[in-house]
Amino acid sequence: MSGHSKWATTKHKKAVIDARRAKSFAKLIKNIEVAARLGGADMSGNPTLVDAVQKAKKSSVPNDNIDRAVKRGAGLTGDAVEYFTIMYEGYGPSGVALLIECLTDNKNRAAAEVRTAMSRSGGTMADPGSVAYNFARKGVIRVSGDVTEDDVLAAVLDAGAEDVSSHGGTFEIITDTADLVKVREALQAANIDYDSADSEFVPNLEVQVDAEAARKVFRIIEALEDSEDVQNVFSNFDVSDEVLAELEQE
């Protein structure tokens, strides 16, 4: 996850092409619809919806799109779509583990797109359970902007944060999933804005990769993320700042 976090941060700082932005918007809208479907449209009683909306706003999704997604997910428009969550497992180079989370209204299409993306980009599908054991579900909050590590630590340590790390100007806070909302609220109480607060799969052990392997892993992840059915790709690879700097020059 660490390497992917660094890469995601790097991509965020670069210009985003329209096609990739559109796909990102579609995935963020899905998150909102699912959160509203499960917990209702009232943000005061649905913290998952609060976080889904916050993430969408931080990614510049228009407010009208967000409002429609909330209403559609809550069944207020009569055209709600049912989404299914499916997990796939795979490997990249150097034994890098990949956990692929799909959110789809068509299981067969999702399966076909994941397998095609993996095979064309050099990845290998794995049997269920062969990769997942290396990951734990955790709360992950990301913070950027005019804030220091000391500010973040002071706000979240007593609220249940397990770890705080820095990735290229973005702070990543790891919590138990049960403490995610409490830690997020602690940031808000300290007037620290956050970019996203999600439940994610975090690796127990990481694999350090060189530039060549990193290129291949990034190619696999980007191929997977090109599918609108793939909501998240979690991995256990890590890259040094030197390797990341080398890749950014390409």
Side-chain angles (χ1 to χ4, degrees), residues 19 34 43 73 75 80 112 118 164 180 202:
V34 171
M43 300 256 283
M118 287 287 280
V164 176
L180 177 61
V202 176

Side-chain angles (χ1 to χ4, degrees), residues 110-170:
E113 290 192 357
V114 167
R115 293 182 183 281
T116 298
M118 287 287 280
S119 63
R120 288 182 176 176
S121 59
T124 305
M125 298 298 295
D127 294 331
S130 59
V131 165
Y133 78 92
N134 189 42
F135 293 81
R137 179 73 87 168
K138 294 287 184 179
V140 181
I141 305 173
R142 294 185 176 88
V143 175
S144 62
D146 187 19
V147 62
T148 68
E149 185 170 4
D150 287 342
D151 293 333
V152 175
L153 287 169
V156 303
L157 283 183
D158 290 339
E162 297 179 354
D163 184 53
V164 176
S165 58
S166 177
H167 300 290
T170 296

Side-chain angles (χ1 to χ4, degrees), residues 62-85:
N63 287 332
D64 287 347
N65 295 41
I66 292 173
D67 292 340
R68 284 196 297 270
V70 171
K71 292 176 181 176
R72 188 163 56 246
L76 302 179
T77 61
D79 60 347
V81 177
E82 183 175 6
Y83 292 110
F84 304 93
T85 299

Side-chain angles (χ1 to χ4, degrees), residues 6-221:
K6 291 178 184 177
W7 184 241
T9 300
T10 301
K11 289 195 299 181
H12 181 68
K13 292 179 180 178
K14 295 180 179 179
V16 182
I17 61 173
D18 290 342
R20 189 170 291 276
R21 178 183 287 271
K23 288 180 179 178
S24 174
F25 279 11
K27 295 178 183 184
L28 293 166
I29 289 296
K30 278 185 187 179
N31 275 342
I32 294 172
E33 291 181 7
V34 171
R37 180 183 178 88
L38 295 176
D42 182 4
M43 300 256 283
S44 64
N46 189 345
T48 303
L49 180 59
V50 170
D51 293 330
V53 168
Q54 169 77 353
K55 190 173 183 179
K57 287 183 175 180
K58 285 290 185 177
S59 299
S60 301
V61 177
N63 287 332
D64 287 347
N65 295 41
I66 292 173
D67 292 340
R68 284 196 297 270
V70 171
K71 292 176 181 176
R72 188 163 56 246
L76 302 179
T77 61
D79 60 347
V81 177
E82 183 175 6
Y83 292 110
F84 304 93
T85 299
I86 312 170
M87 302 298 299
Y88 295 100
E89 302 176 36
Y91 289 105
S94 303
V96 167
L98 298 166
L99 199 57
I100 306 149
E101 183 177 38
C102 294
L103 189 60
T104 180
D105 59 349
N106 187 319
K107 295 180 180 179
N108 291 333
R109 182 187 65 219
E113 290 192 357
V114 167
R115 293 182 183 281
T116 298
M118 287 287 280
S119 63
R120 288 182 176 176
S121 59
T124 305
M125 298 298 295
D127 294 331
S130 59
V131 165
Y133 78 92
N134 189 42
F135 293 81
R137 179 73 87 168
K138 294 287 184 179
V140 181
I141 305 173
R142 294 185 176 88
V143 175
S144 62
D146 187 19
V147 62
T148 68
E149 185 170 4
D150 287 342
D151 293 333
V152 175
L153 287 169
V156 303
L157 283 183
D158 290 339
E162 297 179 354
D163 184 53
V164 176
S165 58
S166 177
H167 300 290
T170 296
F171 296 104
E172 187 174 88
I173 305 161
I174 305 297
T175 78
D176 188 276
T177 52
D179 294 327
L180 177 61
V181 173
K182 185 167 62 173
V183 174
R184 184 254 287 164
E185 290 176 342
L187 286 170
Q188 293 172 310
N191 295 315
I192 297 175
D193 195 17
Y194 70 101
D195 295 332
S196 63
D198 294 301
S199 178
E200 300 184 2
F201 286 97
V202 176
N204 300 315
L205 294 172
E206 295 182 335
V207 176
Q208 190 79 24
V209 298
D210 60 18
E212 182 179 357
R215 290 186 192 96
K216 294 176 181 178
V217 175
F218 290 146
R219 191 179 304 121
I220 294 169
I221 290 175

